[in-house]
Amino acid sequence: MRAVRVPLAAAVAVALAAVATGCTEKTDAAKGTDEHVVKVTASDDACEVSKKEFPAGHVVLDVENTGSKVTEVYVLYPDDRIVTERENIGPGTRQKVNAEVKSGSYQIACKPGMVGDGIRQQVKATGGGKAAARDPKLDAAVAAYRKYAQEQADETLPLAKKFADAVKAGDLDAAKKAYAPSRIGWERTEPVAESFGDIDPKVDLREDGLEDGQDLEKDWTGWHRLERSLWQDKKITARDKELAGLLIKDLEDWQDKVNEAEITPTSMANGAKELLDEVATGKVTGEEERYSHTDLVDFKANVEGAEKSYTLLKPVAAKNEPKLATELDRQFAALDKLLDQYREDKKSYDFESYDKVGKAERKELSDAVNALAEPLSKLAAAVVAK
């Protein structure tokens, strides 16, 4: 979970937790033809788009950051749910983001410094006739991923309830032990969770993600609020017990909505990249689990979620871009091997406390994440390529 969450956007990834249905992988957009490309120029005080209307279906955002601050760019529904996003676009850099959108109204938002509600432009996707046929392998990938996301939510609830029950009982040691396991399923599929209103900031907001005007004690809820009580304050208060119950309520809301998520091949691919971004900006730095130092558990779960999306999309990606698939196989294997050095066995989620991981080892982890993130950013284009 990145440090800054946007209440209106109600989340922030998938790179997407996505939209729409039915776009053939054999589309002009895969080659980046002008009709389907929206150029986004993001600066420190502006968000310019090359067009405010474009055909529904496959869309490519060609994003250039001309400002002095790191930025992120979103496509949002009118109610601020996320269609797609891309974080950590550095000054002077350019990135392309593939997405699938239905006809309708949207907003493109640039967030210089990755804070606030962003500078927004109203845009519209037009058309909307019968959806073009899609490779049956991609339909199978979407169906399998939907099942996977639901399984992760279903498996999370009992673990989260074990954690919440320990908090309610005032059992500090038991709550600490149950904390990290309760987050694994969430971390594997967080881009999907981010597409549902404000569930993500309710359950996974970090302390520095609060907006101006929000009260630390009143408005901060979820796992990390309880994490601070358990490890930093070393006590469980009446408010903590109340928050434990609220956490379960919010997670049950997530569990109920997972099957409603609009999932596409590009949203799966963008979501995989977002999970790696989460690792790079939160886990490797130690910011995510700053009190418990259980960052490596989240790290592994994020990588597993990204690898699941890739594995499901691989039959098409490997056909369209065989060299890319070979590179992704190699980089996932290398990162998995590196992470395994920090746990006793591959079946265990008992990872080393991250505060005991030295600077050189953290850099090694960071380098492995970056080595994977670069080819992973090309996966969305690969699954829609001719």
Side-chain angles (χ1 to χ4, degrees):
M1 165 72 57
R2 55 185 168 275
V4 178
R5 289 290 172 184
V6 183
L8 288 177
V12 259
V14 185
L16 194 104
V19 194
T21 98
C23 172
T24 178
E25 73 279 11
K26 294 183 178 180
T27 169
D28 287 341
K31 297 187 295 182
T33 56
D34 289 344
E35 183 183 27
H36 294 272
V37 175
V38 179
K39 295 182 180 179
V40 181
T41 305
S43 66
D44 293 345
D45 55 10
C47 185
E48 299 175 0
V49 296
S50 62
K51 63 187 70 171
K52 294 195 174 182
E53 289 193 7
F54 45 84
H58 192 82
V59 176
V60 179
L61 298 185
D62 184 357
V63 183
E64 182 178 10
N65 182 2
T66 61
S68 62
K69 302 175 181 178
V70 175
T71 195
E72 53 191 15
V73 173
Y74 294 77
V75 178
L76 303 170
Y77 287 108
D79 62 2
D80 280 5
R81 287 178 297 121
I82 296 171
V83 176
T84 189
E85 64 171 310
R86 180 60 56 86
E87 302 175 18
N88 300 300
I89 304 172
T93 65
R94 194 167 187 164
Q95 295 192 28
K96 289 187 177 180
V97 186
N98 289 264
E100 294 171 65
V101 296
K102 295 177 180 177
S103 59
S105 297
Y106 300 89
Q107 297 179 81
I108 292 178
C110 306
K111 298 184 180 179
M114 302 199 299
V115 297
D117 296 334
I119 304 164
R120 301 188 176 200
Q121 295 280 4
Q122 302 291 329
V123 297
K124 180 181 290 187
T126 59
K130 184 178 180 181
R134 187 165 65 193
D135 189 325
K137 292 179 181 177
L138 292 178
D139 289 328
V142 168
Y145 186 78
R146 185 181 300 280
K147 180 181 178 182
Y148 172 74
Q150 186 66 62
E151 288 172 346
Q152 294 306 306
D154 293 345
E155 291 171 8
T156 294
L157 259 294
L159 296 172
K161 287 178 179 177
K162 182 177 181 180
F163 168 64
D165 287 346
V167 172
K168 292 176 184 178
D171 191 333
L172 193 68
D173 290 338
K176 284 183 174 182
K177 186 176 180 179
Y179 172 76
S182 74
R183 291 175 48 73
I184 293 171
W186 172 273
E187 290 290 339
R188 285 172 176 159
T189 59
E190 189 171 359
V192 173
E194 290 179 347
S195 68
F196 303 126
D198 59 356
I199 295 176
D200 183 70
K202 282 181 178 179
V203 306
D204 203 24
L205 186 71
R206 300 205 306 255
E207 184 173 353
D208 50 356
L210 289 167
E211 295 291 318
D212 291 341
Q214 287 188 303
D215 181 81
L216 187 66
E217 297 306 318
K218 179 182 177 182
D219 298 316
W220 187 23
T221 61
W223 269 304
H224 294 304
R225 170 65 178 80
L226 293 167
E227 179 201 5
R228 188 188 71 169
S229 293
L230 298 175
W231 274 273
Q232 178 172 286
D233 301 339
K234 296 180 174 60
K235 62 181 180 180
I236 296 173
T237 66
R239 174 60 172 161
D240 293 326
K241 294 177 182 180
E242 178 184 343
L243 289 173
L246 183 59
L247 174 65
I248 298 305
K249 179 178 179 295
D250 291 332
L251 289 175
E252 287 174 340
D253 190 18
W254 163 57
Q255 181 188 33
D256 289 341
K257 290 182 176 180
V258 165
N259 197 48
E260 301 172 8
E262 293 188 77
I263 298 170
T264 67
T266 53
S267 79
M268 290 170 58
N270 287 335
K273 175 59 167 60
E274 183 190 345
L275 286 171
L276 262 290
D277 289 341
E278 291 279 345
V279 172
T281 60
K283 282 69 175 183
V284 169
T285 63
E287 295 176 51
E288 180 80 2
E289 306 290 358
R290 62 191 65 177
Y291 309 112
S292 65
H293 304 300
T294 56
D295 303 87
L296 287 171
V297 177
D298 291 356
F299 192 140
K300 180 62 175 177
N302 283 160
V303 172
E304 286 178 337
E307 192 164 8
K308 181 67 174 182
S309 290
Y310 164 61
T311 301
L312 292 173
L313 294 170
K314 183 179 174 180
V316 172
K319 178 182 178 182
N320 292 339
E321 300 288 349
K323 290 183 179 179
L324 176 65
T326 298
E327 180 65 8
L328 284 170
D329 286 341
R330 188 172 72 86
Q331 296 296 348
F332 268 117
L335 184 53
D336 286 333
K337 182 178 180 180
L338 184 59
L339 279 171
D340 284 343
Q341 296 177 14
Y342 295 92
R343 59 178 177 174
E344 293 184 2
D345 64 77
K346 292 183 179 181
K347 296 180 180 179
S348 168
Y349 268 81
D350 186 16
F351 281 85
E352 184 174 340
S353 181
Y354 201 58
D355 58 335
K356 297 179 181 178
V357 178
K359 182 180 292 187
E361 288 75 21
R362 291 191 184 199
K363 184 180 185 303
E364 185 180 26
L365 288 165
S366 179
D367 289 346
V369 169
N370 292 334
L372 172 58
E374 193 279 328
L376 195 59
S377 69
K378 301 174 184 178
L379 180 59
V383 298
V384 296
K386 280 192 173 183

